[in-house]
Amino acid sequence: DGVERVFWNDPRVLTISLHESGLHLFPHTGFPREVGGPDALGSAANVSFLPRTTDRAWLHSFAAIVPPLVAAFAPQVIVSQHGADPHRNDKLADLSLSVDAMALGQRLVIDLADEHADGRWIGLGGGGYNRDATARTWASMLASAQGIAFDPSTPTPPTWRDRADGQGSPTMGDPWADADPHWDASDLTTRWPNASIVATSRAVFPHWGLEAR
């Protein structure tokens, strides 16, 4: 990841990335063992997933890894990039997330900024190779930035469905999603940790005085 490489040896910046494993996707980087340069060990956290990872496993990993690291780092500002690549219909990646799950992730990042950075948050778009999924993901991020709750049942505009060549989703969410829009992080953090959580927490948490999962 280009952002991670820019700050690879800079202890002033913590980068956290949730993505498909480099075993399966170019540029074949982003493994849990990649934790930052010699002067910034622990400043990079990579949570990598196997193909077809779904909403609940992704959200579980987010809740187990991201909040403890953010709390330990105590950022002055949070900058987050919300690509739509993890969506099930993306043409490049192989994850199986819904727009619903990614919208929850956006909300959780904003909550972390409110709790640890006095609300200082910069939200950015990112990759995405399915026009419909990308548009809905970025629309949900803009709504979250304005404090508008994401409702997956909200209809998409008919004009958008026409422009999407008949492939546009009729609603903002995905009917097959297994992410509850009212989900709370505490619902998942007590479950047995999955392989992504174990690998990343063992590689990064000790640098912050945190106990590995």
Side-chain angles (χ1 to χ4, degrees):
D1 179 85
V3 175
E4 178 179 283
R5 292 298 161 184
V6 168
F7 299 108
W8 182 249
N9 202 36
D10 189 341
R12 300 171 301 171
V13 179
L14 169 67
T15 61
I16 306 174
S17 178
L18 283 71
H19 51 260
E20 184 174 348
S21 171
L23 291 173
H24 304 277
L25 188 68
F26 180 85
H28 309 298
T29 58
F31 295 100
R33 65 177 179 271
E34 298 171 23
V35 297
D39 297 326
L41 292 175
S43 67
N46 286 285
V47 187
S48 62
F49 300 103
L50 294 175
R52 293 178 293 283
T53 293
T54 57
D55 291 350
R56 290 186 179 273
W58 187 86
L59 287 167
H60 184 189
S61 299
F62 186 109
I65 297 295
V66 180
L69 286 177
V70 171
F73 183 67
Q76 294 178 318
V77 61
I78 292 179
V79 180
S80 57
Q81 184 177 35
H82 300 275
D85 315 55
H87 193 269
R88 188 171 77 176
N89 296 334
D90 190 82
K91 299 176 181 179
L92 178 65
D94 303 299
L95 301 184
S96 295
L97 298 194
S98 66
V99 171
D100 309 49
M102 290 186 281
L104 279 172
Q106 296 159 9
R107 189 197 76 194
L108 293 172
V109 170
I110 293 172
D111 289 345
L112 289 172
D114 288 340
E115 182 177 358
H116 299 289
D118 293 327
R120 290 184 289 270
W121 169 69
I122 299 172
L124 307 173
Y129 301 90
N130 177 277
R131 180 165 53 176
D132 175 61
T134 302
R136 289 185 289 131
T137 299
W138 291 357
S140 71
M141 185 182 71
L142 291 173
S144 297
Q146 298 179 68
I148 300 173
F150 175 79
D151 180 355
S153 66
T154 301
T156 53
T159 51
W160 163 247
R161 297 197 290 273
D162 293 340
R163 290 183 179 181
D165 301 322
Q167 302 300 312
S169 172
T171 60
M172 284 295 296
D174 292 304
W176 43 265
D178 64 357
D180 182 346
H182 305 294
W183 175 80
D184 183 275
S186 62
D187 293 342
L188 293 179
T189 51
T190 57
R191 294 186 180 182
W192 187 257
N194 60 40
S196 298
I197 293 170
V198 171
T200 303
S201 66
R202 287 181 177 178
V204 180
F205 278 20
H207 294 289
W208 295 97
L210 299 171
E211 183 178 355
R213 298 285 179 166

